Amino acid sequence: MDDIHTPSVASGPATNGASNGVPKQEMSLVELIAEKQRIDSELSALSSVLDSHGVNMRTSLTSFDGYPRDDIDIAQIRTTRVRIIHLQNDLKALMAKIEIGLHDHHAAAQAAAAASASNQTAHSASAPANADASSDPALQAPFAKVNSVVPESPADTAGLKAGDQIVVFGDVNWMNHEKLSKVAEAVSRNEGRSISIRVSRAGDQVELQLTPRRNWGGRGMLGCHLLPL
């Protein structure tokens, strides 16, 4: 009998390099980021399907004596696992494209800032640079998700809610968060001072002010748990 709990999937992208059928080389950086978010959402939904059956990617679908289990929908689980593997392959290729795109985008932004600074004073140049950054679509992608918020914590007082997606945290964004290490640095150097943050909530962008502080009655200076996207 074949090993029914091991999906047979070829390695590499499942759909010519893009989950939606659009070749990655023809997609802009903004489109690549949007596609990553779409794949992340589908992977989350598929993981929920496995969770509903009480299994994961490695759980055996056979009984101790080698027969197919009759307490779960084996066909659905196999189909779900195969799709997850396809998407994980697509996501790996996609992230390589995004990394290249971000590098090029950052280099172009630095060059533009240098050209602007050569013709303006440092004070007058900073305002346009910030305005351009806030309107740059590549910087509108969320990079972290609020997993939980402790009641009466600084995060709760600021208005953060579980499920919010962090777009901007002070000067930290999708391009420079470095696996959230820069968020931790921003919190550490701004104890007792307000930090401007922007979150995506139910399709809307919400601006909040968060003040990290100790001795609020719980652990840390925020009172929330963030997960990288």
Side-chain angles (χ1 to χ4, degrees):
M1 178 181 292
D2 292 336
D3 188 352
I4 65 172
H5 62 272
T6 303
S8 298
V9 180
S11 62
T15 51
N16 297 322
S19 298
N20 63 357
V22 179
K24 290 296 185 291
Q25 62 269 22
E26 297 180 3
M27 299 173 70
S28 68
L29 177 58
V30 175
E31 291 170 331
L32 289 170
I33 293 172
E35 177 66 2
K36 175 187 178 297
Q37 293 173 323
R38 191 198 67 76
I39 292 178
D40 285 339
S41 296
E42 186 174 351
L43 283 171
S44 178
L46 292 170
S47 294
S48 296
V49 172
L50 295 184
D51 290 342
S52 70
H53 290 283
V55 302
N56 55 39
M57 292 293 289
R58 297 183 178 181
T59 303
S60 174
L61 304 185
T62 57
S63 61
F64 71 94
D65 51 0
Y67 288 96
R69 291 172 54 180
D70 58 7
D71 60 326
I72 53 179
D73 187 338
I74 291 178
Q76 183 183 37
I77 293 171
R78 279 192 56 121
T79 300
T80 300
R81 285 175 168 178
V82 168
R83 180 59 178 165
I84 287 175
I85 293 173
H86 281 322
L87 289 174
Q88 287 174 336
N89 288 333
D90 284 349
L91 187 60
K92 182 178 180 180
L94 182 66
M95 290 305 297
K97 295 283 187 180
I98 289 177
E99 183 176 359
I100 294 172
L102 285 174
H103 181 272
D104 293 343
H105 182 88
H106 188 59
Q110 286 185 321
S116 177
S118 66
N119 296 318
Q120 302 179 38
T121 65
H123 176 74
S124 62
S126 62
N130 291 336
D132 289 342
S134 63
S135 62
D136 187 342
L139 301 183
Q140 301 307 305
F143 62 88
K145 178 180 180 179
V146 180
N147 187 48
S148 61
V149 177
V150 179
E152 300 183 7
S153 65
D156 184 41
T157 301
L160 271 181
K161 300 181 182 297
D164 284 350
Q165 294 187 326
I166 306 296
V167 178
V168 175
F169 193 101
D171 59 357
V172 183
N173 54 56
W174 199 92
M175 294 177 62
N176 65 6
H177 67 87
E178 296 182 11
K179 297 182 179 180
L180 303 189
S181 64
K182 293 300 183 182
V183 172
E185 292 178 12
V187 171
S188 178
R189 69 172 179 265
N190 285 285
E191 181 178 357
R193 295 188 294 182
S194 178
I195 301 175
S196 296
I197 63 176
R198 185 185 313 132
V199 303
S200 176
R201 178 185 299 165
D204 295 325
Q205 298 257 322
V206 180
E207 301 283 345
L208 302 172
Q209 296 294 319
L210 174 58
T211 302
R213 57 186 174 86
R214 303 180 191 273
N215 303 320
W216 55 269
R219 298 176 59 184
M221 289 194 288
L222 297 183
C224 66
H225 181 220
L226 302 181
L227 294 174
L229 292 177

